[in-house]
Amino acid sequence: MGSSLTKIFSVSKMASSPDVQQFIKTAISQDKVVVFSKSYCPYCKLAKDVFNKVKQPIKVYELDHRDDGDVIQNNLQQITGFRTVPQVFINGNCVGGGSDVDKLYNSGKLQPMLIG
């Protein structure tokens, strides 16, 4: 997705779980929409495409392009209770994955979440 609305951050390394958890907390607090993704995942593409449709800028972390992607994914599981990607955060709150974002969009509930 070559959209200018998408910022992609990749390769980095973090030492410990507390560092990774702090990274996640900081990441989800800095941008309205944050997507922890894998570049080859169709559900991740679905989520990113939905935000592109509504012209919502998103920050994407492609975990398969990062040295610490597995560590981040394990820590996301501790935070959200699920390990699958994408993990989509709006205003710091996890709203689920690709199908969840698509359902929010189709039901008209997504756009109000993005206002403000």
Side-chain angles (χ1 to χ4, degrees):
M1 191 164 122
S3 169
S4 61
L5 297 176
T6 305
K7 296 183 245 169
I8 298 177
F9 292 80
S10 57
V11 187
S12 144
K13 209 162 190 147
M14 281 175 261
S16 66
S17 278
D19 290 342
V20 173
Q21 289 194 7
Q22 187 56 52
F23 163 75
I24 293 168
K25 288 176 185 165
T26 300
I28 65 177
S29 70
Q30 287 180 333
D31 288 275
K32 182 179 286 294
V33 179
V34 176
V35 180
F36 291 93
S37 171
K38 291 194 175 172
S39 60
Y40 56 82
C41 167
Y43 290 99
C44 297
K45 182 177 179 347
L46 173 64
K48 292 180 274 191
D49 286 348
V50 167
F51 289 112
N52 196 36
K53 276 186 218 174
V54 297
K55 299 187 178 355
Q56 172 63 48
I58 61 176
K59 185 178 264 187
V60 177
Y61 293 92
E62 296 291 4
L63 300 182
D64 58 317
H65 293 175
R66 297 177 62 105
D67 293 337
D68 56 1
D70 282 341
V71 178
I72 291 172
Q73 195 166 359
N74 290 337
N75 278 270
L76 282 167
Q77 181 177 12
Q78 292 173 13
I79 293 168
T80 65
F82 65 101
R83 191 173 191 282
T84 56
V85 291
Q87 293 204 24
V88 180
F89 291 81
I90 299 175
N91 296 318
N93 299 307
C94 184
V95 296
S99 299
D100 301 307
V101 168
D102 194 45
K103 283 180 196 161
L104 287 169
Y105 171 71
N106 288 322
S107 69
K109 295 178 182 172
L110 180 65
Q111 290 85 333
M113 297 172 79
L114 300 173
I115 297 169

